[in-house]
Amino acid sequence: MKGIRQLAKHLDISIGTVSRALNDRPDVNEETRKRVLAAAEELGYVANQSGRSLRQGTTNVIGLMIESSKETVENSDNFFLGVTGGLQSVLSRHKLDLLMLPCPNDEDPHEYLKRMVARRIVDAMIISATQRVDQRIDLLVKAKIPFVALGRSTSGGNHTWIDLDFEGVAACAVDRLVSKGHRRIAIAAPSNDINLGYIFVDAYRQSLERHGIAFDPALVIRVKSSEQGGYQAGHEMLRLDTKPTAIILIYELMAIGLYRRLNEAGIVPGRDLAVIGFREEPRGKFLQPSLTCFRMSLRDLGVELAETLLATMPAYAEHYPKGARNTIWPLELAPGESDAFSLDA
Amino acid sequence: MKGIRQLAKHLDISIGTVSRALNDRPDVNEETRKRVLAAAEELGYVANQSGRSLRQGTTNVIGLMIESSKETVENSDNFFLGVTGGLQSVLSRHKLDLLMLPCPNDEDPHEYLKRMVARRIVDAMIISATQRVDQRIDLLVKAKIPFVALGRSTSGGNHTWIDLDFEGVAACAVDRLVSKGHRRIAIAAPSNDINLGYIFVDAYRQSLERHGIAFDPALVIRVKSSEQGGYQAGHEMLRLDTKPTAIILIYELMAIGLYRRLNEAGIVPGRDLAVIGFREEPRGKFLQPSLTCFRMSLRDLGVELAETLLATMPAYAEHYPKGARNTIWPLELAPGESDAFSLDA
DNA sequence: CTGCCATACTAAAACGTTTCCGCAAAGCAC
DNA sequence: GTGCTTTGCGGAAACGTTTTAGTATGGCAG
C-alpha cells in the first residue's frame, strides 16, 4: 500500500487533496500544501508515472529517435549528445523529460517508431536522419503526434522541420575556393539516398554553375562518412586524369583518412590541395594542417529544436510564438590552414 | 472509446479474452487467438503502455543512463551507440525496450536517477561513468531496482558491475614499451576523480614497478580526454627536464592533439617518441603514424551487459546462468606504427 | 435568521490494461 | 445418467493517479 494513498493516510487527508497539493492546483489551503510537500519530501514520494499517464493521457516525455545503424553511428558522433543539452535546457522548464529512443539496427525504423508511438510512452517526438521519402513522417502525421523532423523531407505535406544550411555552406565553400583560384573542386559525399548527400551535392553543383564552372560528375566522390571514407576519397581522387586542386568533405572526420592517403602519395594538404570540411568538431583545429570548416553550436540547435517542438504541442504552444514551420540552421565559417593558399594564375 | 475495449467489441468477445489472446496466455482457443491477432493487426491496435504498466507493475523498459556533462561527452564519442546495438540484440528477444536517459548537465546525476527511478518508467537500469564513490549505486540498491554498473566502484557493497581491463591494458602497454627499451614512460590521463584516471594510472604504476622502474609523478600528465587534452599533454611533456621516450594516452583522440604539438616542436611520433593509445576507434588506423592501441567490440560488450543485467532480474534470471557478478572486460592489442621502433641501448 | 458565496475538503469515477474467479459446455469414465 | 475434469470464455477487481462532483464550514449581506 505505497503511493499517494499511503501519503494521504499518513497526513490524514484525502488523496484528492494530496494530489492537488502536489500538482499546484487551486482549492488547497496554503498550510495544507506545505504539509503535503514536506511529507512527500520526507517519505520520498514521487508520483508513479504509469498511473499519472493513464489518467492524464499524457506522459511528459519527449522522445528523440536516433538510428544506430552503422552508417549513422559513424558520422553521428557526439552530435546527439550535444543537441540533447540544449533540448533539455528548454524542456526541463516545462517538467518534460527527454528520452532517447535508439532504433535497433535490425528493426525497420518505421516499425520501431510505430511501436513506440502506439505504446504511447512519449507525448511528442523528434526524429532525425530523415530520408528524402520518409514513412515515419506520414506515420506521425496520421497518428497526430506532435513532432519535429531534424532534416528536411519531401514526405508528409507541410510538417515542421529544421535542417542545416547545406546550401549556404556549399555556396560559401565554393565561393571561397573559387576566389582563391580553384576551378576543379571535388566533393566527397555519401550517396544520394541519404538526404545530406543529395542536397549538399546539389547545392555544390548550383554554386559551381553560378561561377560559370561546369559541373563534372567525376568530381563527385561517393564514400562513407568516416575516416575510412576519407581515405577512400583520397584514393579515388588520385586516380582522376585531371586532378582537382581542392576538395570539399561532407564530414570532417574524413579529413583524417584523406590526409593519410595524401601523405602516402606525397601530397601536402594545405599546400598542394585545398581541403574544406563540413562540420567543425574540436578535432578539426588539431589536425595538421588544421581544417577549414563550418561551425555551429549544437546546444543552440537543441534549444531551437525544443522551442519549435513545443510550438507544435497544443499544451505548450501559447508560450512559444508560432515561428516558421521550417528553419534553415546557419553555420559559420571557421578558417583553418587546410585551404590557406591561392593558386597561381 | 479506443483501446482494447473497442477491439473486443469489434470481435464481439470479452476484453479479458482479447487480452489473454494478445499476451500468449493459456485458456484461449487457438481459433479465437488467430482472429484476435488478425483484428489487432488490421486495426493497428497496440496495448497502451501506461495501462499495462500500471496493472503489471512493470514497464518492459530498460534504462541506460548517460551523462552528457562536458567531460563525458568529449570522450564518450560513439561509445554508447556502439554498446546499444549489442544491448538491444539481447533485450529484444525478451520484448524489452532500451531507452537512453541522458542526465541534463545542470542536474545532479543522483537526483536525476532518483526521479527516474521513483517515477517507475524503467524496470532496470544500466548506469555508466561510475565514480569511485557513487551515490547512485546506493540509491539503486536501496530502491531494489535491478541494475548493472558500467565501471567499478567502491560504493554499495557487492553490486554487479562490468569494467574494462585497465590493469591488463596498462600492463600490456608498459611491457611492450619496456621490451623496446623504454624506461621513461609518460602517461596522459584524466584526473583521479574520474574512475578511469585513478585506476589506469595506478595500474601503470604497478606495471612500472614490476619492471623495477621507479614511478615518477612528473610523468603523469593530467589533462582532459580530448584532442585539446592531447595537445596540452604534448606541451607539458616538452617542458620536462628529462623528456620521456614514450607516452601512453588514455583516450585515443588525444593522439590528434599530441601529434600536432609534437609536429610543431619538430618531434616525429613513431620515430622520436613512442605513442600508445587506449581504445581503438576506426580513426586510430588512419592517423599518421597509425596509432598502436587496444581494441574491443562495443557490440559484444553490450551483449555482455544485457546478459548480466537480465541475470539480476528475477523475471528473466532463469535463462541466464548466474555468472560472475563482476566482469573485467578484456581488450586486444592492435599494433600500429606509432611505437614501431626500439631504443638503442 | 435566511440566503448566498467562497473556501477547503472528501468521495468516487475514470483512464486501459491484466488477471483472478467463476461458470457453462463438453468430454470422459464408470 | 452421474460425477469429474478440461476447455474456453465472461465479469469484475485491481493497479495509482487525476479530476469531477458534491459537501461542510464560515463569512457576509440583506
Side-chain angles (χ1 to χ4, degrees):
Chain A
M1 184 63 69
K2 65 200 160 209
I4 201 175
R5 201 158 351 230
Q6 191 186 36
L7 186 58
K9 192 180 293 181
H10 177 259
L11 286 163
D12 205 28
I13 296 183
S14 80
I15 58 177
T17 303
V18 174
S19 174
R20 285 197 308 278
L22 291 173
N23 293 353
D24 278 329
R25 306 223 89 88
D27 274 15
V28 170
N29 185 306
E30 207 45 50
E31 176 72 21
T32 314
R33 169 164 291 144
K34 286 221 176 68
R35 278 181 57 221
V36 171
L37 290 178
E41 174 73 21
E42 181 199 341
L43 301 184
Y45 170 80
V46 177
N48 176 306
Q49 187 61 39
S50 302
R52 157 178 280 176
S53 298
L54 182 58
R55 171 64 225 220
Q56 296 193 130
T58 189
T59 61
N60 288 343
V61 169
I62 306 295
L64 168 60
M65 175 173 171
I66 63 190
E67 296 183 42
S68 51
S69 72
K70 257 209 153 337
E71 175 78 11
T72 315
V73 163
E74 278 177 10
N75 70 21
S76 71
D77 233 81
N78 283 318
F79 182 82
F80 290 112
L81 287 180
V83 171
T84 293
L87 274 168
Q88 287 177 318
S89 72
V90 175
L91 296 179
S92 67
R93 286 204 289 268
H94 300 280
K95 294 187 190 289
L96 292 171
D97 275 310
L98 180 74
L99 259 43
M100 295 165 78
L101 317 181
C103 175
N105 303 356
D106 56 2
E107 188 169 0
D108 176 30
H110 178 245
E111 288 301 321
Y112 176 77
L113 181 61
K114 192 151 116 187
R115 197 155 54 86
M116 289 302 174
V117 164
R119 284 171 44 158
R120 310 244 149 221
I121 57 178
V122 299
D123 287 346
M125 283 288 312
I126 298 167
I127 61 174
S128 61
T130 49
Q131 305 296 309
R132 284 169 62 200
V133 298
D134 202 317
Q135 284 191 293
R136 295 179 299 168
I137 292 171
D138 305 296
L139 170 68
L140 290 169
V141 168
K142 201 157 72 181
K144 296 203 203 317
I145 305 283
F147 75 100
V148 174
L150 183 48
R152 61 197 100 174
S153 170
T154 59
S155 300
N158 67 338
H159 63 282
T160 306
W161 54 256
I162 296 181
D163 205 357
L164 305 187
D165 183 17
F166 299 129
E167 289 86 349
V169 166
C172 179
V174 168
D175 288 357
R176 184 174 166 91
L177 290 171
V178 168
S179 78
K180 295 185 184 235
H182 296 277
R183 306 285 294 177
R184 275 187 78 70
I185 302 171
I187 185 167
S191 81
N192 259 343
D193 308 334
I194 297 187
N195 224 351
L196 174 57
Y198 175 78
I199 297 174
F200 207 128
V201 171
D202 196 54
Y204 150 88
R205 185 181 53 72
Q206 289 182 33
S207 297
L208 284 180
E209 288 172 355
R210 248 191 302 104
H211 286 284
I213 301 177
F215 171 74
D216 181 355
L219 292 180
V220 179
I221 305 173
R222 301 289 186 175
V223 290
K224 291 206 299 186
S225 301
S226 62
E227 298 87 345
Q228 168 76 49
Y231 186 88
Q232 195 186 333
H235 193 71
E236 304 271 338
M237 199 185 69
L238 291 172
R239 293 166 56 186
L240 292 175
D241 292 334
T242 9
K243 303 204 175 12
T245 60
I247 185 168
I248 299 172
L249 306 176
I250 264 185
Y251 183 52
E252 94 288 345
L253 271 190
M254 286 182 182
I256 295 179
L258 176 70
Y259 280 12
R260 165 114 199 169
R261 185 66 187 85
L262 293 178
N263 263 295
E264 289 173 3
I267 296 176
V268 179
R271 195 193 68 190
D272 306 329
L273 179 81
V275 182
I276 294 188
F278 169 35
R279 250 188 50 218
E280 186 201 36
E281 291 289 325
R283 69 195 51 124
K285 281 199 288 293
F286 293 99
L287 293 177
Q288 189 130 26
S290 68
L291 193 63
T292 293
C293 49
F294 293 85
R295 177 188 297 161
M296 66 176 184
S297 161
L298 292 180
R299 186 182 173 84
D300 290 349
L301 176 59
V303 169
E304 175 76 18
L305 261 175
E307 290 177 346
T308 305
L309 180 63
L310 289 172
T312 72
M313 299 176 67
Y316 301 93
E318 51 181 336
H319 303 101
Y320 295 89
K322 281 264 178 212
R325 296 180 63 82
N326 302 326
T327 305
I328 295 288
W329 192 254
L331 286 90
E332 180 196 3
L333 179 73
E337 303 157 348
S338 62
D339 71 340
F341 68 100
S342 292
L343 282 189
D344 307 331
Chain B
M1 184 65 66
K2 65 198 161 212
I4 200 175
R5 198 151 2 223
Q6 191 186 36
L7 186 57
K9 193 180 293 181
H10 177 259
L11 286 163
D12 204 28
I13 296 183
S14 80
I15 58 177
T17 303
V18 173
S19 175
R20 286 197 305 276
L22 291 173
N23 293 352
D24 277 330
R25 305 223 88 89
D27 276 12
V28 170
N29 185 305
E30 206 46 49
E31 177 72 19
T32 314
R33 167 164 291 140
K34 287 220 176 70
R35 278 181 58 219
V36 172
L37 290 178
E41 174 71 21
E42 181 199 340
L43 300 184
Y45 169 81
V46 177
N48 176 307
Q49 187 61 39
S50 301
R52 156 177 281 178
S53 299
L54 183 57
R55 171 63 226 224
Q56 297 194 132
T58 188
T59 61
N60 288 345
V61 169
I62 306 296
L64 168 61
M65 174 171 171
I66 62 190
E67 296 184 42
S68 52
S69 73
K70 254 205 154 342
E71 175 79 12
T72 316
V73 164
E74 278 178 12
N75 68 23
S76 73
D77 233 79
N78 281 321
F79 182 81
F80 291 113
L81 288 180
V83 172
T84 294
L87 274 168
Q88 287 177 318
S89 72
V90 175
L91 296 179
S92 65
R93 287 204 288 267
H94 300 279
K95 293 186 188 291
L96 293 170
D97 275 310
L98 181 75
L99 260 43
M100 295 166 78
L101 317 181
C103 175
N105 303 355
D106 56 3
E107 187 167 2
D108 176 29
H110 178 244
E111 288 302 321
Y112 175 76
L113 182 61
K114 192 151 118 188
R115 196 154 54 86
M116 289 303 173
V117 164
R119 283 170 45 160
R120 312 243 148 221
I121 56 179
V122 299
D123 287 346
M125 283 288 311
I126 298 167
I127 62 174
S128 61
T130 49
Q131 304 297 308
R132 284 170 61 200
V133 298
D134 201 317
Q135 286 191 293
R136 295 179 300 168
I137 292 171
D138 305 298
L139 169 68
L140 290 170
V141 168
K142 201 157 71 182
K144 297 204 203 317
I145 304 283
F147 75 100
V148 174
L150 183 49
R152 61 197 101 176
S153 170
T154 60
S155 300
N158 66 339
H159 62 281
T160 306
W161 54 256
I162 296 181
D163 205 358
L164 304 187
D165 182 17
F166 299 130
E167 290 86 350
V169 167
C172 178
V174 168
D175 287 356
R176 182 175 167 90
L177 290 171
V178 169
S179 78
K180 295 187 183 232
H182 297 277
R183 305 284 295 178
R184 274 187 78 71
I185 302 170
I187 186 168
S191 81
N192 260 344
D193 308 335
I194 297 185
N195 225 351
L196 175 57
Y198 175 77
I199 297 174
F200 207 128
V201 171
D202 196 54
Y204 149 88
R205 185 181 54 72
Q206 289 181 31
S207 297
L208 284 181
E209 288 172 355
R210 248 191 302 106
H211 286 283
I213 302 176
F215 171 74
D216 181 356
L219 292 179
V220 179
I221 306 173
R222 300 290 187 175
V223 291
K224 290 206 299 187
S225 302
S226 62
E227 297 88 346
Q228 168 76 49
Y231 186 88
Q232 196 187 332
H235 193 72
E236 304 271 340
M237 199 186 69
L238 291 173
R239 292 166 56 188
L240 293 175
D241 292 334
T242 9
K243 303 204 180 9
T245 60
I247 185 168
I248 298 171
L249 306 175
I250 265 187
Y251 182 52
E252 93 287 346
L253 270 190
M254 285 183 181
I256 295 179
L258 175 70
Y259 281 11
R260 165 117 198 165
R261 186 64 189 85
L262 292 178
N263 263 295
E264 288 173 4
I267 296 177
V268 178
R271 195 193 67 189
D272 306 330
L273 179 81
V275 182
I276 294 188
F278 169 35
R279 249 187 50 216
E280 187 201 36
E281 290 290 325
R283 70 194 52 121
K285 282 198 287 291
F286 293 98
L287 294 177
Q288 189 129 27
S290 66
L291 193 63
T292 293
C293 50
F294 294 85
R295 177 188 296 158
M296 67 178 182
S297 161
L298 292 180
R299 185 181 173 84
D300 290 350
L301 176 59
V303 169
E304 175 76 17
L305 262 174
E307 291 178 345
T308 305
L309 180 63
L310 289 173
T312 71
M313 299 175 68
Y316 302 92
E318 49 179 337
H319 302 102
Y320 295 90
K322 280 265 178 213
R325 296 180 63 83
N326 302 325
T327 305
I328 296 288
W329 192 253
L331 286 90
E332 179 196 4
L333 179 72
E337 303 157 348
S338 63
D339 70 341
F341 67 99
S342 293
L343 281 189
D344 306 332

